[in-house]
Amino acid sequence: MFRPRLPDVPTLPTTPVVPQQTQTPLPSMGRSLTPYAGAVAAVVVVGIVLTALLAAVAVTAVSVAVAAVVLRSLLNGATKH
């Protein structure tokens, strides 16, 4: 009467339950692309730097050409007077 009674424990199924996959695994293509991320970033940075240098050279060349035209015009105008 004063002894506690434990609830009945349900029996577990004897067949193992396998969870179903919701995603199909990606096919392995040999190597992952993770090691190449640093190389790709380096190529992009080098490309940006080279493009900036090319733009700087082009702007410098245009400014030197304009200065040469102005000086030529000034020198030709001085000799005619």
Side-chain angles (χ1 to χ4, degrees), residues 18-64:
V18 178
Q20 295 180 355
Q21 286 186 339
T22 57
Q23 294 179 344
T24 57
L26 295 174
S28 176
M29 296 175 60
R31 290 197 236 173
S32 67
L33 296 177
T34 306
Y36 300 112
V40 170
V43 168
V44 169
V45 168
V46 168
I48 290 172
V49 169
L50 290 178
T51 304
L53 288 174
L54 181 63
V57 168
V59 168
T60 304
V62 169
S63 65
V64 167

